[in-house]
Amino acid sequence: MSAVSLSDASAVPASVYRQPGFLPFLISRVLAMFAVQILAVVVAWQVYDMTRDPLSLAYVGLAQFIPMFLLLMPAGDLIDRYDRKRILMLSWALEALCAAALLWLSLSGGAVTGFYIVLVFYGCARAFTGPALSSLLPQIVPREKLAAAIAANSMIVRGSTIAGPVFGGGLYALGGGGLTYAACLLFFVAGIVLLRWVPVLYAEKMQALEATAWQRFTAGIRFIRSRPIILGTISLDLFAVLLGGVVALLPIYAQEVLEVGPTGLGALRSAMALGEVTVGFYLSTRPFNRHVGMVMFIAVAIFGLANLVFALSSLFWLSFAALLVAGGADMVSMYIRSSLIQFSTPDAMRGRVNAVNMLFIGSSNELGEFRAGTSAAWFGAVPAALLGCFCTLAVTGGWMLGFKSLRQVDRFEDAAPGSRG
């Protein structure tokens, strides 16, 4: 399939909103993301408030990571074989049930073990949600509008993460976990209802896939291994965030270092999202298509340096600013990574490729929370954050040396099937 340059897509950013079904898809995704962000802030704060043990934050991440790790590849296989919209609706329905269970636990004073059990099922649902969303978007908009759709999707969805954590922190301060989980349940249900009205107009005809699940799984792995540009891109994100992310430590920083409470925690969570949506808006109006490989490496390095400033800061405004910069750098990296993957992957293999990508992302996020929580329990929050930042910078340098073809990518078309890399 031929690639569409981002410079060409910049000519049609407004028309993509008039594409049938695209706006309802965006709104439904924003609602679901809003619920996810509220839940992430509240469950971390509530569990830590119940235990006052940094290791409990590690268990929050681990409870979600294990089922995602086990189910992502089967999920990718199913997404390539069945209706992607229906799979997405079912996964959101399970997330809504998890929100309802957390609501019941909060109102009944359930033990912390109950929260971990619910998060296991929540991780199962998220194993299907991510690959289904990424694979469904190219079936909703035509190829020539895909780049504009990616930019608009990234900007608007990230925008929901600005209000989500602040709203979640404020709701928890007002009404505790019950009120916040009720809001999550409402948003998930509303997202499902809206998604029903999204037409799938550009799905390619289902192809006869390999006979066995193992053959289908290995076909996706072989494709990724044959594309060093894609492999280097997703693995860079994995290790940079896995080793250097500070999001899991925000409850500790908000409570013990900055002393700003749950409302301040929501603001800190929103800082990265604010940086992401600001840069995302700029990219949606002024997309670039030159030196994309080197720009991605620079963005990841800036992400590490900004987190380093946050780790050392004891001032709320400086911590907020550092997370703002980290979010902006992360948006640049994510924008390049998403475009490379979408433009270079055949539709029949998108579920499996996006499942591998989500496995890497899930590993970097959930397993990264476990890494951060255990490090904070062993060394303290500040030393754990500092160690992670140095690891991010080391990974960036190592990947620049190890993936020369990725560093030398100039235009997104260079990653298209049939090109070098």
Side-chain angles (χ1 to χ4, degrees):
M1 291 184 292
S2 61
V4 178
S5 70
L6 294 183
S7 58
D8 295 335
S10 66
V12 292
S15 63
V16 74
Y17 293 101
R18 295 194 294 269
Q19 179 66 34
F22 181 64
L23 193 56
F25 171 78
L26 278 187
I27 297 173
S28 66
R29 189 172 185 183
V30 165
L31 289 170
M33 181 63 69
F34 208 74
V36 168
Q37 290 297 316
I38 294 174
L39 194 147
V41 170
V42 173
V43 77
W45 178 271
Q46 193 171 13
V47 168
Y48 183 70
D49 194 44
M50 293 169 65
T51 64
R52 296 303 174 114
D53 181 5
L55 200 57
S56 65
L57 298 177
Y59 296 146
V60 167
L62 192 63
Q64 298 173 74
F65 170 74
I66 290 177
M68 287 183 64
F69 178 81
L70 296 176
L71 292 178
L72 266 171
M73 296 314 301
D77 180 33
L78 290 173
I79 289 165
D80 280 339
R81 298 167 61 200
Y82 299 103
D83 188 323
R84 292 169 181 174
K85 188 174 82 168
R86 182 171 297 179
I87 291 174
L88 179 57
M89 291 172 66
L90 290 173
S91 66
W92 278 350
L94 179 55
E95 291 179 43
L97 289 176
C98 291
L102 291 171
L103 170 61
W104 179 80
L105 286 171
S106 296
L107 295 178
S108 62
V112 69
T113 305
F115 286 82
Y116 296 142
I117 293 174
V118 173
L119 289 176
V120 169
F121 287 97
Y122 184 66
C124 292
R126 292 185 61 193
F128 289 84
T129 300
L133 277 168
S134 300
S135 303
L136 181 61
L137 179 60
Q139 295 184 341
I140 296 173
V141 299
R143 180 74 173 179
E144 63 270 15
K145 297 180 181 179
L146 182 56
I150 291 174
N153 182 70
S154 300
M155 177 189 66
I156 293 178
V157 171
R158 290 300 185 180
S160 68
T161 63
I162 297 176
V166 173
F167 186 59
L171 279 181
Y172 187 82
L174 288 174
L179 182 61
T180 51
Y181 295 131
C184 292
L185 175 60
L186 176 63
F187 288 134
F188 278 129
V189 172
I192 294 170
V193 172
L194 269 177
L195 191 62
R196 286 178 57 87
W197 301 102
V198 175
V200 179
L201 302 175
Y202 301 96
E204 297 182 5
K205 185 178 180 180
M206 286 288 183
Q207 301 179 8
L209 300 180
E210 292 78 3
T212 67
W214 177 252
Q215 289 175 329
R216 294 191 296 268
F217 166 74
T218 54
I221 297 296
R222 286 196 303 270
F223 176 81
I224 294 173
R225 289 183 61 186
S226 69
R227 309 291 296 176
I229 290 175
I230 303 299
L231 177 61
T233 298
I234 62 178
S235 60
L236 172 65
D237 178 74
L238 164 66
F239 290 104
V241 179
L242 169 64
L243 299 175
V246 298
V247 172
L249 300 177
L250 291 184
I252 302 176
Y253 268 83
Q255 195 165 68
E256 300 179 5
V257 178
L258 303 175
E259 299 179 350
V260 291
T263 304
L265 171 61
L268 291 174
R269 288 288 299 239
S270 294
M272 292 192 71
L274 180 60
E276 288 169 343
V277 76
T278 301
V279 173
F281 177 77
Y282 177 84
L283 291 175
S284 69
T285 57
R286 295 179 178 272
F288 64 90
N289 194 17
R290 295 301 304 273
H291 312 299
V292 294
M294 183 58 69
V295 169
M296 185 176 68
F297 280 114
I298 294 173
V300 177
I302 293 174
F303 173 81
L305 290 172
N307 282 338
L308 181 63
V309 173
F310 171 83
L312 294 171
S313 171
S314 59
L315 302 173
F316 177 77
W317 68 266
L318 181 59
S319 300
F320 186 92
L323 292 176
L324 189 75
V325 173
D330 188 50
M331 170 56 76
V332 174
S333 173
M334 182 187 68
Y335 186 73
I336 295 174
R337 182 175 69 252
S338 299
S339 298
L340 287 172
I341 293 172
Q342 292 286 25
F343 283 127
S344 63
T345 305
D347 188 64
M349 197 173 285
R350 277 200 173 99
R352 285 165 286 175
V353 171
N354 282 315
V356 173
N357 185 40
M358 289 305 301
L359 178 61
F360 279 55
I361 294 174
S363 299
S364 63
N365 291 334
E366 272 67 40
L367 197 57
E369 290 183 7
F370 180 76
R371 188 278 312 166
T374 52
S375 298
W378 294 339
F379 311 121
V382 175
L386 288 173
L387 178 62
C389 297
F390 291 132
C391 288
T392 295
L393 297 175
V395 166
T396 304
W399 259 242
M400 288 184 68
L401 296 176
F403 288 90
K404 182 180 178 181
S405 60
L406 177 57
R407 186 180 76 243
Q408 293 178 340
V409 172
D410 183 26
R411 302 174 65 87
F412 286 108
E413 292 84 347
D414 295 342
S419 67
R420 66 180 180 85

